[in-house]
Each structure stands twice: as structure tokens, then as C-alpha cells.
Amino acid sequence: MDGARQAAIRTAELAARSCYGRLVARLAARSRDIAGAEDALAEAFAAALRTWPERGVPAAPEAWLLTAARNAQMNAGRHRRVRDAAAAEIERRAEERAAREAGFPDERLKLLFVCAHPAIDAAVRTPLMLQAVLGLDAARIAAAFLMAPAAMGQRLVRAKAKIRDAGLRFAVPEPEEMPARLAEVLAAIYAAYGTGWEARQAGLAEEAIYLGRLLVELLPAEPEARGLLALMLYCEARREARRDAEGRFVPLGRQDARRWSGAMIGEAEALLAEGARAGRFGRYLCEAAIQSVHIQRPVTGRTDYRALRLLYDLLGAHEPSLGVLVARAALLLEAGDAAAARVALDALEGRQVAGYQPYWVALARLLRAEGRAAEAEAALGTALSLTDDAALREFLSLPPP
């Protein structure tokens, strides 16, 4: 029994990682209730852990979970009158037909646009997408948004309750409404990719790239969709070179370019060029262009800091987030302008820097460049305390070259 139980637990855990978002999307598409879909799926997982050890793991665990969750939804909704159930079914079929006619290539992509509804608080749209569609837990979402997990969890619960209580229409937006919702969808896909990148979860990163491709297919005239896909491909092309054979972190400037994926870089360069032709240079095209400059280093033998500084200035105007501003300050220091880096970092005081590890890394390097060794060591200690990645901790602890 112990072996059967362990096998059941492993299979359930694998299903939770690989198909949670897809199952919630399919369940919510039918019920129009994201929170209810999650509750039903939780009941299905609990039922799996009760029955699989005794009856064996089914041949198709995802299908089994979907069926069990749908049964739970049916049990929860039996108190509704037949007329209401029939009306909901008619509306669901009409919406699914409209989605197909609109050319939505994936149910999850459809749900991302639904979660960007203007009636939902703008601050919670992207986190809601990450949890309900892409399956990230509140702790990882909170880390991406520099928030406490409890606060993020409460924010998500309130948002789902508002969706349910307000009876928001679970429908695909009209074509003319999509551009207004695009920014949140792009942000959710990029946040999912970033989480997979930092946690070295290739599956989540691949899922984000897949959704990025579908978004370019759905909205071919939107340059930022191409910019996001290009950005993710530039980063993914370097995945294998980011760690050495012993698992130690290798910074971009020291990576072996022979381990980069030429096919991904070529595709990213083409996407960047196509997006730039639109004449609208937004956040993701700008970030992709920054990656393109870095990619040229093995060819030219140097880093074009002038181009990077211009691009970071433009990016800061588009997206003055903490991450972007810290990256800009680090670039200024790397380019040899410690005075400008000091001004940039000083301007961030009072923001949410206390728990932001890249800020302390940049500050430690700046203090070292200023000859303030003791303060640099203190800042480095703070940076080390903010990461659990042993390889990254080892790299940060190395003496400067």
C-alpha cells in the first residue's frame, strides 16, 4: 500500500504542475466561476489521493481529474433551477462558438483576456491570470510583485469574490477591446516566463513561449506581442550557458556563446525587426533590443554601452519599475559611470528595495567601486540573505575580477 500511495502522490503532484492551469481554464469556461473551478479541482485532487492508492492510478490522470472536478461542480450546483442551468449552457455554447469564430487558438489565452476585464481591479489582473490560468501559487506571484504572500493571497480572494458576486460576463472581448487588455496579458506571460527562468522550471518557461507564439498569431499587427516573444527567445537561447557543468552560475559576459541556441536567436532577431517596423517602440520591443545588443558581443568582441544606455533610458520611460531602474543603474556602473549609477540608486531609496535582491547586488558593487569596502560587504550580506539559490550565492561571494 505504501508503494501504491507514493505512486499516486507522485502522479497527482505531476498533474498539478503540468496541467493545473489548463484544467482550471476548461472548468471555468463551463462554469464562469474561477474560484468555483479551483474548488472543484481541489476536490478532484483530494478524491484522487483517496482512491488511486486503492484502485490504481488511471491511464489518463488528467482526464480523470477533469471528470471528477466536473462532477464536483455538478454536485455544488444542483440547487440551481433547471431553467438557470439551461440558460447558462446556451450562453456557454454561444461564447465558445464566438471564441472559435474570433480565432482564439487556445482556451488559456482566451481566459487571459477575460481576466483582463476592465471591471477587475487593474492591480490584480496580472496576478489573477498567473494563479487562475497558469497555476502559480500566491507565494511565487507575491515574490514577482514584491509583496507579502498573505497580502497577495487576500487580494486574489477578493478579486475572485468580486467576479462571482458581480456576475461578470465570462466572454471573449470584441476585437476592438483586445488592444486595451493586451498589456496585462503580456505582463502575465512574461511574469510566468520569468518565474520559470529564475526557478529553472523549463516547462513553465516553454509554456510561456508557447502562449507568446499564439499571441503573435492572434494579433499579428501588435508589435509588442512580437517584442515579448523575441525577448523570451533571446533569454531562452542562453539557458544552457547560464550554468557550468558543476551547476555554478555564469554571468552573461562570461558565457560560452557556442552554447547559445542560434536558431532561437535568429528567430528573435527576425521578430524584433518585424516589430520595429511598426514604428511603435514599447516596453517589450525595448527589452528585446537590449538583449539583441548583448547577443552581439561574441561577434564584435565588445559591448555597445552607448546603445544600451539609450535603450535603458527609453525602457525606464516606458516601464519605470524597480527592476528596470535597478538594471539601468547596474548598466551605468558596468559602463564605467559610477557617479550616474550613484544618482540612479539613490533615487530608489524609499521604494520597495529592502527585499529586492538585485538592488543590494548593484549597491554592493557600487560601494566597492567607490572604495567603501565595509559598506559593500554589508550590502552583499543583505543580497546573499535574499536568495536560496546556492549557485548564485556562490557566484556573488566570489571576489571581483
mmCIF file of all heavy atoms in Angstrom, residues 220-224 226 271-283 285-286 314 318:
data_model
loop_
_atom_site.group_PDB
_atom_site.id
_atom_site.type_symbol
_atom_site.label_atom_id
_atom_site.label_comp_id
_atom_site.label_asym_id
_atom_site.label_seq_id
_atom_site.Cartn_x
_atom_site.Cartn_y
_atom_site.Cartn_z
ATOM 1 N N PRO A 220 -1.370 39.685 -35.074
ATOM 2 C CA PRO A 220 -0.144 39.878 -35.865
ATOM 3 C C PRO A 220 0.243 41.344 -36.053
ATOM 4 O O PRO A 220 1.394 41.636 -36.374
ATOM 5 C CB PRO A 220 -0.485 39.212 -37.200
ATOM 6 C CG PRO A 220 -1.978 39.229 -37.271
ATOM 7 C CD PRO A 220 -2.449 39.059 -35.860
ATOM 8 N N ALA A 221 -0.696 42.268 -35.872
ATOM 9 C CA ALA A 221 -0.394 43.681 -36.075
ATOM 10 C C ALA A 221 0.116 44.366 -34.816
ATOM 11 O O ALA A 221 0.433 45.555 -34.847
ATOM 12 C CB ALA A 221 -1.638 44.418 -36.582
ATOM 13 N N GLU A 222 0.207 43.619 -33.683
ATOM 14 C CA GLU A 222 0.641 44.217 -32.425
ATOM 15 C C GLU A 222 2.146 44.022 -32.239
ATOM 16 O O GLU A 222 2.600 42.909 -31.968
ATOM 17 C CB GLU A 222 -0.124 43.593 -31.249
ATOM 18 C CG GLU A 222 -1.578 44.000 -31.163
ATOM 19 C CD GLU A 222 -1.751 45.476 -30.839
ATOM 20 O OE1 GLU A 222 -0.808 46.090 -30.291
ATOM 21 O OE2 GLU A 222 -2.830 46.016 -31.131
ATOM 22 N N PRO A 223 2.954 45.079 -32.374
ATOM 23 C CA PRO A 223 4.413 44.917 -32.268
ATOM 24 C C PRO A 223 4.885 44.438 -30.908
ATOM 25 O O PRO A 223 5.886 43.743 -30.797
ATOM 26 C CB PRO A 223 4.948 46.316 -32.585
ATOM 27 C CG PRO A 223 3.807 47.246 -32.313
ATOM 28 C CD PRO A 223 2.575 46.476 -32.649
ATOM 29 N N GLU A 224 4.169 44.783 -29.841
ATOM 30 C CA GLU A 224 4.601 44.368 -28.515
ATOM 31 C C GLU A 224 4.475 42.861 -28.312
ATOM 32 O O GLU A 224 5.220 42.269 -27.530
ATOM 33 C CB GLU A 224 3.824 45.117 -27.436
ATOM 34 C CG GLU A 224 4.328 46.522 -27.180
ATOM 35 C CD GLU A 224 5.714 46.526 -26.530
ATOM 36 O OE1 GLU A 224 6.716 46.342 -27.256
ATOM 37 O OE2 GLU A 224 5.795 46.705 -25.303
ATOM 38 N N ARG A 226 5.151 40.676 -30.641
ATOM 39 C CA ARG A 226 6.398 40.196 -31.245
ATOM 40 C C ARG A 226 7.592 40.515 -30.339
ATOM 41 O O ARG A 226 8.523 39.715 -30.210
ATOM 42 C CB ARG A 226 6.600 40.835 -32.619
ATOM 43 C CG ARG A 226 5.557 40.415 -33.650
ATOM 44 C CD ARG A 226 5.846 41.022 -35.017
ATOM 45 N NE ARG A 226 4.773 40.727 -35.949
ATOM 46 C CZ ARG A 226 4.672 39.592 -36.643
ATOM 47 N NH1 ARG A 226 5.611 38.670 -36.496
ATOM 48 N NH2 ARG A 226 3.664 39.386 -37.457
ATOM 49 N N LEU A 271 11.871 38.567 -35.308
ATOM 50 C CA LEU A 271 10.701 39.129 -34.630
ATOM 51 C C LEU A 271 10.948 40.578 -34.224
ATOM 52 O O LEU A 271 10.067 41.434 -34.358
ATOM 53 C CB LEU A 271 10.365 38.296 -33.397
ATOM 54 C CG LEU A 271 9.710 36.936 -33.650
ATOM 55 C CD1 LEU A 271 9.823 36.064 -32.409
ATOM 56 C CD2 LEU A 271 8.244 37.113 -34.034
ATOM 57 N N LEU A 272 12.148 40.868 -33.731
ATOM 58 C CA LEU A 272 12.483 42.231 -33.325
ATOM 59 C C LEU A 272 12.439 43.181 -34.521
ATOM 60 O O LEU A 272 11.885 44.283 -34.436
ATOM 61 C CB LEU A 272 13.869 42.249 -32.680
ATOM 62 C CG LEU A 272 14.418 43.610 -32.259
ATOM 63 C CD1 LEU A 272 13.492 44.293 -31.259
ATOM 64 C CD2 LEU A 272 15.817 43.459 -31.665
ATOM 65 N N ALA A 273 12.996 42.742 -35.649
ATOM 66 C CA ALA A 273 12.986 43.586 -36.846
ATOM 67 C C ALA A 273 11.561 43.820 -37.340
ATOM 68 O O ALA A 273 11.197 44.945 -37.709
ATOM 69 C CB ALA A 273 13.823 42.925 -37.945
ATOM 70 N N GLU A 274 10.735 42.772 -37.329
ATOM 71 C CA GLU A 274 9.341 42.913 -37.777
ATOM 72 C C GLU A 274 8.573 43.850 -36.858
ATOM 73 O O GLU A 274 7.794 44.694 -37.307
ATOM 74 C CB GLU A 274 8.676 41.538 -37.818
ATOM 75 C CG GLU A 274 9.221 40.610 -38.893
ATOM 76 C CD GLU A 274 8.801 39.167 -38.666
ATOM 77 O OE1 GLU A 274 8.035 38.913 -37.701
ATOM 78 O OE2 GLU A 274 9.243 38.293 -39.434
ATOM 79 N N GLY A 275 8.777 43.700 -35.547
ATOM 80 C CA GLY A 275 8.077 44.562 -34.605
ATOM 81 C C GLY A 275 8.500 46.012 -34.715
ATOM 82 O O GLY A 275 7.674 46.922 -34.626
ATOM 83 N N ALA A 276 9.796 46.248 -34.935
ATOM 84 C CA ALA A 276 10.304 47.622 -35.027
ATOM 85 C C ALA A 276 9.744 48.358 -36.234
ATOM 86 O O ALA A 276 9.612 49.587 -36.210
ATOM 87 C CB ALA A 276 11.832 47.601 -35.083
ATOM 88 N N ARG A 277 9.406 47.608 -37.287
ATOM 89 C CA ARG A 277 8.871 48.259 -38.493
ATOM 90 C C ARG A 277 7.528 48.935 -38.246
ATOM 91 O O ARG A 277 7.113 49.790 -39.030
ATOM 92 C CB ARG A 277 8.753 47.236 -39.627
ATOM 93 C CG ARG A 277 10.076 46.966 -40.336
ATOM 94 C CD ARG A 277 9.851 46.284 -41.664
ATOM 95 N NE ARG A 277 9.434 44.902 -41.510
ATOM 96 C CZ ARG A 277 10.272 43.871 -41.448
ATOM 97 N NH1 ARG A 277 11.579 44.067 -41.521
ATOM 98 N NH2 ARG A 277 9.824 42.634 -41.315
ATOM 99 N N ALA A 278 6.851 48.568 -37.171
ATOM 100 C CA ALA A 278 5.548 49.183 -36.881
ATOM 101 C C ALA A 278 5.693 50.627 -36.417
ATOM 102 O O ALA A 278 4.713 51.382 -36.425
ATOM 103 C CB ALA A 278 4.801 48.366 -35.824
ATOM 104 N N GLY A 279 6.902 51.003 -35.985
ATOM 105 C CA GLY A 279 7.107 52.387 -35.559
ATOM 106 C C GLY A 279 6.586 52.693 -34.174
ATOM 107 O O GLY A 279 6.509 53.862 -33.781
ATOM 108 N N ARG A 280 6.214 51.670 -33.398
ATOM 109 C CA ARG A 280 5.749 51.848 -32.016
ATOM 110 C C ARG A 280 6.662 51.027 -31.119
ATOM 111 O O ARG A 280 6.531 49.808 -31.030
ATOM 112 C CB ARG A 280 4.293 51.402 -31.864
ATOM 113 C CG ARG A 280 3.290 52.302 -32.545
ATOM 114 C CD ARG A 280 1.874 51.807 -32.351
ATOM 115 N NE ARG A 280 1.551 50.660 -33.190
ATOM 116 C CZ ARG A 280 0.825 49.629 -32.797
ATOM 117 N NH1 ARG A 280 0.371 49.574 -31.554
ATOM 118 N NH2 ARG A 280 0.564 48.640 -33.623
ATOM 119 N N PHE A 281 7.597 51.700 -30.451
ATOM 120 C CA PHE A 281 8.634 51.009 -29.700
ATOM 121 C C PHE A 281 8.249 50.985 -28.229
ATOM 122 O O PHE A 281 8.543 51.914 -27.480
ATOM 123 C CB PHE A 281 9.975 51.722 -29.907
ATOM 124 C CG PHE A 281 11.153 50.796 -29.885
ATOM 125 C CD1 PHE A 281 11.269 49.778 -30.806
ATOM 126 C CD2 PHE A 281 12.154 50.946 -28.933
ATOM 127 C CE1 PHE A 281 12.360 48.932 -30.806
ATOM 128 C CE2 PHE A 281 13.250 50.110 -28.920
ATOM 129 C CZ PHE A 281 13.351 49.096 -29.855
ATOM 130 N N GLY A 282 7.584 49.922 -27.794
ATOM 131 C CA GLY A 282 7.132 49.816 -26.420
ATOM 132 C C GLY A 282 8.099 49.052 -25.538
ATOM 133 O O GLY A 282 9.236 48.772 -25.902
ATOM 134 N N ARG A 283 7.611 48.673 -24.361
ATOM 135 C CA ARG A 283 8.453 48.052 -23.345
ATOM 136 C C ARG A 283 9.137 46.781 -23.845
ATOM 137 O O ARG A 283 10.350 46.619 -23.675
ATOM 138 C CB ARG A 283 7.602 47.722 -22.111
ATOM 139 C CG ARG A 283 8.339 46.862 -21.098
ATOM 140 C CD ARG A 283 7.434 46.266 -20.056
ATOM 141 N NE ARG A 283 8.179 45.344 -19.211
ATOM 142 C CZ ARG A 283 7.626 44.637 -18.221
ATOM 143 N NH1 ARG A 283 6.343 44.746 -17.959
ATOM 144 N NH2 ARG A 283 8.368 43.802 -17.495
ATOM 145 N N LEU A 285 9.551 45.442 -26.936
ATOM 146 C CA LEU A 285 10.495 45.642 -28.033
ATOM 147 C C LEU A 285 11.791 46.250 -27.513
ATOM 148 O O LEU A 285 12.884 45.894 -27.957
ATOM 149 C CB LEU A 285 9.881 46.546 -29.107
ATOM 150 C CG LEU A 285 8.929 45.885 -30.109
ATOM 151 C CD1 LEU A 285 8.307 46.936 -31.011
ATOM 152 C CD2 LEU A 285 9.643 44.827 -30.938
ATOM 153 N N CYS A 286 11.667 47.158 -26.552
ATOM 154 C CA CYS A 286 12.851 47.795 -25.978
ATOM 155 C C CYS A 286 13.705 46.765 -25.228
ATOM 156 O O CYS A 286 14.930 46.718 -25.396
ATOM 157 C CB CYS A 286 12.411 48.911 -25.035
ATOM 158 S SG CYS A 286 13.754 49.995 -24.527
ATOM 159 N N LEU A 314 15.162 54.702 -22.554
ATOM 160 C CA LEU A 314 13.850 54.565 -23.190
ATOM 161 C C LEU A 314 12.974 53.593 -22.407
ATOM 162 O O LEU A 314 11.785 53.847 -22.186
ATOM 163 C CB LEU A 314 14.028 54.078 -24.636
ATOM 164 C CG LEU A 314 12.752 53.871 -25.458
ATOM 165 C CD1 LEU A 314 11.959 55.172 -25.561
ATOM 166 C CD2 LEU A 314 13.092 53.344 -26.849
ATOM 167 N N HIS A 318 9.245 53.993 -20.459
ATOM 168 C CA HIS A 318 8.074 53.146 -20.702
ATOM 169 C C HIS A 318 7.653 52.401 -19.438
ATOM 170 O O HIS A 318 6.461 52.258 -19.161
ATOM 171 C CB HIS A 318 8.386 52.106 -21.781
ATOM 172 C CG HIS A 318 8.270 52.624 -23.183
ATOM 173 N ND1 HIS A 318 7.074 53.030 -23.730
ATOM 174 C CD2 HIS A 318 9.200 52.785 -24.153
ATOM 175 C CE1 HIS A 318 7.274 53.430 -24.971
ATOM 176 N NE2 HIS A 318 8.558 53.292 -25.249
#
